[in-house]
Amino acid sequence: MLKLLNNEKLIVGYDLGDDYSQISYCIADSDNVETLSMVAGEENYNIPTVLCKREGVNQWFYGREAIRYAEESGGILVRNLVSLALDGETVMIEGTEFDPVALLSLFLKRSLGLLSQVSSPDRIMALMITGDGLDGSLLEVLYQAVDRMNLKTDKVFFQSHTESFYHYMIRQERSLWSQKVLLLEYQEAQIRVLSMECNRHTSPVVVFIEEAEYPFVAYEPGGTQEKLPAELMRMDRDLLDICGELCGGPIVSGVYLIGDRFSEEWMKESRKFLCKGRRVFQGSNLYSKGACYSLLERLRPSEVGQDHVFLGREKLKANIGMKILRQGEEIYYALLDAGVNWFEAEHTFEFYLQEGNQVEFVITSLTGRNNKLAQIVLEELTGELTRLRAHLYLQDESRLMVEIEDLGLGVFRRSTHHVWQEEITL
């Protein structure tokens, strides 16, 4: 475990789940990422995402301590904190209403206190929270929860598990992801698959990750090779069928098995199949480490990070710009770059419109589709030389919002401050 010196700062990757959460970290000027273990000397990374209120007292426990206190002393256990916050309904405990976002914020703050094993949480330089199903609703909840934590840094970011997988992979040796890479995550009653491939015919190299889900029966660990229960043998065959389908196309160079439910006790034939000509890894802390690597990429861009761009579900998939005149020459002026998260894509700028009442944006897709010129007509504008302010942001990954305000031209043309709003489908 890393121990920080007095002047060193922490970079933290936080994997937030409804059942369990994990925390990885590194020193700001280091690439050595570690994950907090709940038990010293063991790879025991899961922090139960739960709170427990002591009866009759405003005292709260979190994680394993919350579960233990509820079992031993009969406290009120609150599970599924992420789902509760998304639902938005107040949580009634002992006749008192609690804001579910405040409960999630309390869990986040208390669990980050685990960093005291290596340093003070006050020395967090940047925090990346990663989670499954990162959409507008979850983002709004996370923004509110983090705002209530009063962290001593404003460098707080969010990304999906899929993007954390990408950032984890590009920090590994290239031979592991020279071909197709698979991640299999065993969830409640299904196996979620992430399949990463690179298009090396583009510059920068475009990386795609496809997502799929396969229904999968639950199991009870146990048994031996000689006396393996029938249901576990059936699971082994079912997993083998899934792996056979996944590996039937392009060459697969690496496979990552995520989750404690994968076990050598029942993965006999399926594991043997996966290990033929491929490197196979098993663990549970890939997402939190990937979140940490993503922060490192933001703070200290690597060569491989600059040469590759990830186009996931949450990413802007087109470059957006304008053609403008500068010193009498027409040039392309970049506004938004493909590869950024849609919820972080925003740009405000001022420009002069020499004549007419039309503004044109150049949209160039990195997927090679939907390249176009998007034209906005500023009705009621007189056509005289004027100054305009434009604000661009995204409503989601495919809807660009444009707001243009008339600023006038000083004493030559009075400003109307009229605002035109337009939505452009990318």
Side-chain angles (χ1 to χ4, degrees):
M1 181 178 292
L2 296 173
K3 288 291 185 181
L4 272 70
L5 301 176
N6 290 334
N7 60 341
E8 291 177 323
K9 296 289 186 178
L10 277 176
I11 289 175
V12 178
Y14 192 114
D15 180 14
L16 176 64
D18 222 16
D19 296 322
Y20 295 97
S21 299
Q22 295 180 356
I23 300 173
S24 292
Y25 65 95
C26 71
I27 299 171
D29 59 355
S30 168
D31 291 339
N32 185 18
V33 176
E34 296 194 15
T35 306
L36 290 176
S37 175
M38 301 301 99
V39 180
E42 297 183 14
E43 294 184 357
N44 200 327
Y45 306 130
N46 288 340
I47 308 165
T49 311
V50 298
L51 290 171
C52 179
K53 182 182 180 299
R54 182 176 176 182
E55 290 185 353
V57 181
N58 189 28
Q59 182 178 5
W60 294 84
F61 305 94
Y62 77 95
R64 294 188 177 194
E65 187 181 8
I67 294 174
R68 183 168 58 249
Y69 188 86
E71 291 174 348
E72 296 176 356
S73 304
I76 299 96
L77 199 63
V78 184
R79 298 183 182 273
N80 306 118
L81 295 174
V82 179
S83 295
L84 288 174
L86 282 170
D87 290 341
E89 298 293 331
T90 56
V91 179
M92 187 68 71
I93 303 176
E94 293 187 308
T96 302
E97 292 184 346
F98 289 89
D99 179 356
V101 176
L103 293 177
L104 178 60
S105 180
L106 176 62
F107 172 78
L108 286 167
K109 186 163 187 172
R110 290 286 182 87
S111 55
L112 281 173
L114 288 167
L115 289 167
S116 60
Q117 298 177 30
V118 294
S119 181
S120 167
D122 289 342
R123 287 162 64 186
I124 295 176
M125 175 182 176
L127 170 66
M128 174 69 78
I129 297 178
T130 184
D132 192 15
L134 194 66
D135 58 14
S137 299
L138 181 55
L139 281 167
E140 184 178 353
V141 163
L142 292 176
Y143 282 128
Q144 292 178 31
V146 169
D147 187 57
R148 298 177 186 220
M149 292 168 64
N150 297 318
L151 294 172
K152 293 188 176 181
T153 178
D154 59 355
K155 292 184 174 65
V156 181
F157 308 97
F158 309 97
Q159 70 183 27
S160 66
H161 277 167
T162 306
E163 185 170 3
S164 292
F165 174 44
Y166 161 76
H167 281 286
Y168 180 88
M169 287 310 309
I170 65 169
R171 289 281 176 157
Q172 309 306 306
E173 57 184 89
R174 285 181 183 262
S175 62
L176 280 174
W177 49 287
S178 59
Q179 306 290 339
K180 183 177 178 180
V181 183
L182 298 175
L183 181 149
L184 278 65
E185 181 181 3
Y186 195 156
Q187 297 179 334
E188 186 67 27
Q190 67 181 15
I191 289 180
R192 179 173 180 242
V193 178
L194 301 181
S195 176
M196 173 175 152
E197 291 187 80
C198 302
N199 181 359
R200 304 188 187 280
H201 300 294
T202 61
S203 181
V205 175
V206 176
V207 181
F208 298 96
I209 297 181
E210 294 185 358
E211 303 179 35
E213 294 175 350
Y214 292 83
F216 204 71
V217 296
Y219 74 99
E220 293 295 333
T224 63
Q225 180 64 32
E226 293 75 26
K227 296 181 180 180
L228 197 63
E231 60 271 19
L232 297 187
M233 294 180 65
R234 183 176 63 251
M235 282 197 6
D236 192 18
R237 289 195 302 270
D238 290 346
L239 181 59
L240 181 60
D241 290 341
I242 294 172
C243 294
E245 180 181 335
L246 293 171
C247 298
I251 297 173
V252 175
S253 54
V255 179
Y256 289 79
L257 304 174
I258 304 298
D260 296 334
R261 294 176 177 176
F262 284 119
S263 169
E264 293 185 11
E265 290 183 288
W266 63 270
M267 290 176 57
K268 304 298 182 181
E269 298 304 317
S270 52
R271 189 179 182 88
K272 189 185 302 182
F273 170 80
L274 286 175
C275 289
K276 287 182 179 177
R278 309 174 190 90
R279 296 178 67 179
V280 180
F281 303 86
Q282 187 170 351
S284 64
N285 60 333
L286 183 149
Y287 294 135
S288 62
K289 294 187 79 169
C292 230
Y293 286 131
S294 177
L295 278 179
L296 288 175
E297 193 63 43
R298 285 174 181 254
L299 299 172
R300 290 186 278 111
S302 64
E303 182 179 343
V304 66
Q306 292 175 311
D307 292 342
H308 293 70
V309 59
F310 168 56
L311 293 187
R313 183 184 303 170
E314 296 84 16
K315 296 296 184 178
L316 173 60
K317 299 177 180 62
N319 291 316
I320 299 169
M322 299 175 69
K323 290 182 179 179
I324 65 171
L325 284 176
R326 178 173 290 174
Q327 296 179 344
E329 181 182 354
E330 186 178 77
I331 64 167
Y332 174 80
Y333 177 56
L335 301 172
L336 298 174
D337 294 328
V340 300
N341 288 318
W342 67 262
F343 48 87
E344 295 178 329
E346 186 175 11
H347 188 68
T348 300
F349 64 103
E350 295 182 6
F351 64 101
Y352 293 97
L353 188 62
Q354 193 166 1
E355 58 185 11
N357 65 345
Q358 297 178 351
V359 178
E360 200 169 65
F361 295 94
V362 181
I363 300 174
T364 308
S365 171
L366 256 65
T367 62
R369 296 171 293 182
N370 300 327
N371 294 341
K372 61 183 179 182
L373 297 177
Q375 194 175 80
I376 297 177
V377 178
L378 308 179
E379 297 179 356
E380 302 176 8
L381 202 63
T382 61
E384 303 173 72
L385 175 66
T386 190
R387 184 166 56 102
L388 301 171
R389 177 187 293 123
H391 178 213
L392 277 64
Y393 63 96
L394 274 84
Q395 199 70 25
D396 56 37
E397 66 274 12
S398 61
R399 290 190 295 159
L400 172 67
M401 309 303 295
V402 180
E403 297 176 355
I404 299 178
E405 180 183 359
D406 176 18
L407 300 179
L409 199 63
V411 296
F412 299 102
R413 183 182 174 279
R414 178 178 295 181
S415 167
T416 66
H417 291 292
H418 183 82
V419 176
W420 293 269
Q421 294 180 318
E422 191 81 17
E423 178 179 314
I424 299 172
T425 301
L426 301 177

